[in-house]
Amino acid sequence: MAKKKIISESSNPKKNLSVGVVGSGSFATAIVKMLVENCKVVHWCVRSEFVKGAIELRGHNPTYLTAAHFNLKSLKLTTDINELVSACDVIVLATPSIYLSDTLDKMTCDYSEKIFVSAIKGIIPRVNDVVAHYLRDEFKIGFRNQAVIAGPCHAEEVAMERLSYLTIATVEDETAEKLEGVFSSDFIKVHTSKDILGNEYSAILKNIFAIGAGIASGLGYGDNFTAVFVSNAIREMETFLEAIYEAPRDVNESAYLGDLLVTAYSLFSRNRNLGNLIGKGYTVKSAIQSMNMVAEGYYAADSIYKTAKQKNLKLPIIETVYAILYEGKNAEKQFRKLTAKLN
């Protein structure tokens, strides 16, 4: 029988790591909920003094996951990213992708020794690229100082402390061990991976596929079609990932297929809900405006479609969703054509 690894208090990552979260949306709030299980204090950079004051007054985020209450002694709130980065060893980025550039542009402190963890599942519009490349190219934060969080893990279920699973992708074993220590709890199980880009791209792709699943639902397609749709989607995901970045990976693992399934089927999925509205007849613009959260798949579809075209990839679902979102094509007609291409 293998001996248990004994970790002294001085070497326990839960005791030594100072962790902060940037963002105040639903997933950022869920991440704070995870971290307070292990960290004595979680630093939290929110977007405005109003949000900061409301959390300090009520003990919960006034806009997202209001059922998740916090002991204020476990939080150190700020609106200054430099204050948070300076105080933390690990910085979890959990803003919508469209706002990340504006947020990090304000970062002027020394961050050379920090670990940046991306919980963002979208493309950075300014550079038309994923967060991992954006941090590397714009801020000289190498992959050894990066990690990516993948699901399947809906924020709403984390708030209810329902058992959820995270995959944390990072190339450094020591970093993986530290992050596993601060995120694991009775209701969060953590697995690790070295496939940073694969996990990040798969999290982006599943949002686009979820929009498609939502459109199908809005149009009246049933569970039988959705099952075929998702089985084709995971094959498209594998084709795209292999063309972008070859690495040892099994797309049937939870970080890939599991995250796709929950995003395509769950009523909590904002991307599925966006697609559902479009399928029911809303214009793309009105569907987006009717939502109070960012559906990352909408912004990602443009970039992913163009990348696939550059690499001459045949991805019928991606092409169909793009045509509806960006070319103004009729959803019913496009899906009728798509049904002939799926198997």
Side-chain angles (χ1 to χ4, degrees):
M1 181 181 294
K3 292 182 179 179
K4 289 185 177 179
K5 185 178 179 181
I6 299 174
I7 303 176
S8 68
E9 183 170 309
S10 62
S11 64
N12 189 337
K14 299 180 184 181
K15 298 290 184 181
N16 291 334
L17 279 184
S18 178
V19 185
V21 178
V22 180
S24 48
S26 60
F27 200 46
T29 306
I31 289 171
V32 174
K33 168 79 174 173
M34 298 176 202
L35 293 171
V36 294
E37 294 292 311
N38 294 317
C39 302
K40 184 176 181 181
V41 174
V42 176
H43 298 257
W44 192 0
C45 182
V46 296
R47 67 175 177 267
S48 69
E49 288 293 338
F50 167 78
V51 174
K52 177 176 178 288
I55 296 172
E56 290 173 337
L57 178 65
R58 304 170 188 171
H60 66 80
N61 189 326
T63 308
Y64 301 103
L65 299 191
T66 56
H69 286 263
F70 299 100
N71 179 348
L72 294 176
K73 292 181 180 178
S74 66
L75 299 180
K76 186 169 179 56
L77 290 150
T78 183
T79 59
D80 183 353
I81 189 171
N82 286 296
E83 180 182 338
L84 179 137
V85 172
S86 296
C88 295
D89 304 303
V90 174
I91 298 95
V92 182
L93 302 174
T95 68
S97 61
I98 57 175
Y99 302 135
L100 182 63
S101 294
D102 290 340
T103 301
L104 293 188
D105 281 347
K106 300 170 185 174
M107 189 170 65
T108 57
C109 61
D110 181 13
Y111 52 82
S112 57
E113 300 300 320
K114 313 292 185 178
I115 298 170
F116 286 81
V117 182
S118 173
I120 298 168
K121 300 173 181 180
I123 297 290
I124 307 302
R126 181 187 294 179
V127 295
N128 195 35
D129 210 341
V130 293
V131 175
H133 288 158
Y134 175 68
L135 294 177
R136 181 196 64 188
D137 297 341
E138 300 292 321
F139 294 91
K140 310 306 177 189
I141 300 168
F143 281 5
R144 294 187 180 280
N145 289 84
Q146 290 193 41
V148 169
I149 291 177
C153 191
H154 273 314
E156 292 81 2
E157 293 198 355
V158 172
M160 293 183 278
E161 298 190 4
R162 289 182 175 175
L163 182 61
S164 302
Y165 289 70
L166 287 182
T167 296
I168 297 177
T170 180
V171 298
E172 290 290 332
D173 291 337
E174 183 181 356
T175 300
E177 183 179 351
K178 289 178 179 179
L179 294 177
E180 184 176 3
V182 295
F183 278 99
S184 297
S185 69
D186 290 341
F187 60 93
I188 300 293
K189 293 191 180 296
V190 176
H191 298 278
T192 60
S193 166
K194 292 185 182 296
D195 186 17
I196 289 180
L197 289 175
N199 276 271
E200 185 163 19
Y201 270 111
S202 68
I204 293 166
L205 288 162
K206 56 93 177 178
N207 285 331
I208 304 171
F209 296 136
I211 292 176
I215 294 173
S217 176
L219 288 170
Y221 289 88
D223 293 342
N224 293 337
F225 174 79
T226 303
V228 173
F229 178 93
V230 172
S231 67
N232 279 262
I234 192 63
R235 296 199 294 272
E236 286 196 19
M237 179 184 289
E238 185 171 30
T239 297
F240 186 92
L241 293 180
E242 288 179 353
I244 289 294
Y245 176 65
E246 288 190 19
R249 68 171 67 90
D250 180 356
V251 296
N252 294 312
E253 292 179 350
S254 295
Y256 311 94
L257 178 58
D259 208 3
L260 169 62
L261 288 171
V262 75
T263 311
Y265 280 99
S266 176
L267 297 180
F268 287 134
S269 169
R270 66 192 72 174
N271 290 282
R272 185 186 189 280
N273 289 336
L274 174 64
N276 190 51
L277 291 172
I278 294 169
K280 287 182 175 180
Y282 283 66
T283 65
V284 173
K285 183 177 181 180
S286 62
I288 292 171
Q289 290 177 338
S290 70
M291 301 180 66
N292 68 344
M293 294 188 289
V294 175
E296 293 279 17
Y298 169 76
Y299 300 97
D302 180 50
S303 175
I304 295 296
Y305 170 81
K306 291 174 180 175
T307 300
K309 281 296 182 185
Q310 290 171 359
K311 293 185 174 294
N312 296 314
L313 303 177
K314 294 187 181 299
L315 306 174
I317 295 175
I318 295 292
E319 292 164 9
T320 298
V321 173
Y322 175 84
I324 294 168
L325 295 182
Y326 286 93
E327 295 179 343
K329 298 292 181 67
N330 179 271
E332 185 175 2
K333 291 180 180 178
Q334 291 301 305
F335 263 72
R336 196 177 302 127
K337 293 177 182 178
L338 178 63
T339 60
K341 301 175 183 178
L342 303 183
N343 58 72

